[in-house]
Amino acid sequence: MSITRFKLVFFSPKESTSKILDHLFRTFPKELGNIGDYEQCAFVTRGTGQFRPKQSANPTIGAPGQLEFVEEDRVELVVSDMTGEREELKKAIKELKTIHPYEEVAYDVYKLEDL
């Protein structure tokens, strides 16, 4: 069985990062954050995000039409896909969207290569 690995990167308000990670690691202990003999691995970088909600938005932070700046974390973690069908990755992203406080979750996915 071949394991495909991805890196999931998402952004969250700093106050929510630990809660999100704890939830994801509890929900997907075999699929998320495992590197060799280590588990619950993540890299977190602090920065400032900006956005302007459109009039049709229902923002958690800020108000429609107003530019907002938020202290956020960039979170990176490895996703191990056991099936090769990206099912674990899809489930993790769906769960991230459920637990995340933002109406729209900004995330990136990178396929990792073993060299």
Side-chain angles (χ1 to χ4, degrees):
M1 173 175 61
S2 176
I3 297 174
T4 304
R5 294 179 338 129
F6 297 91
K7 181 172 281 189
L8 174 60
V9 178
F10 65 89
F11 301 85
S12 72
K14 66 178 184 154
E15 299 82 9
S16 301
T17 301
S18 291
K19 178 182 173 186
I20 293 169
L21 280 174
D22 290 346
H23 178 84
L24 290 174
F25 288 143
R26 273 194 322 274
T27 306
F28 302 102
K30 295 179 182 175
E31 297 86 355
L32 297 183
N34 291 298
I35 300 175
D37 289 334
Y38 296 84
E39 59 187 17
Q40 296 190 11
C41 300
F43 189 80
V44 180
T45 309
R46 186 77 31 98
T48 304
Q50 78 167 48
F51 54 89
R52 182 190 320 267
K54 294 180 181 179
Q55 291 302 320
S56 58
N58 183 21
T60 303
I61 298 171
Q66 295 181 1
L67 187 60
E68 186 72 34
F69 296 89
V70 179
E71 196 168 6
E72 294 181 319
D73 290 329
R74 173 188 168 107
V75 182
E76 303 180 39
L77 58 143
V78 174
V79 180
S80 299
D81 190 312
M82 311 299 184
T83 66
E85 300 295 322
R86 300 181 178 175
E87 289 304 314
E88 286 89 348
L89 177 62
K90 291 174 189 175
K91 289 176 185 176
I93 292 170
K94 183 177 179 182
E95 192 67 24
L96 171 64
K97 289 178 178 180
T98 300
I99 190 69
H100 200 287
Y102 285 172
E103 181 179 27
E104 299 289 340
V105 180
Y107 67 91
D108 302 314
V109 175
Y110 304 92
K111 185 175 181 183
L112 301 178
E113 300 290 335
D114 288 325
L115 301 175

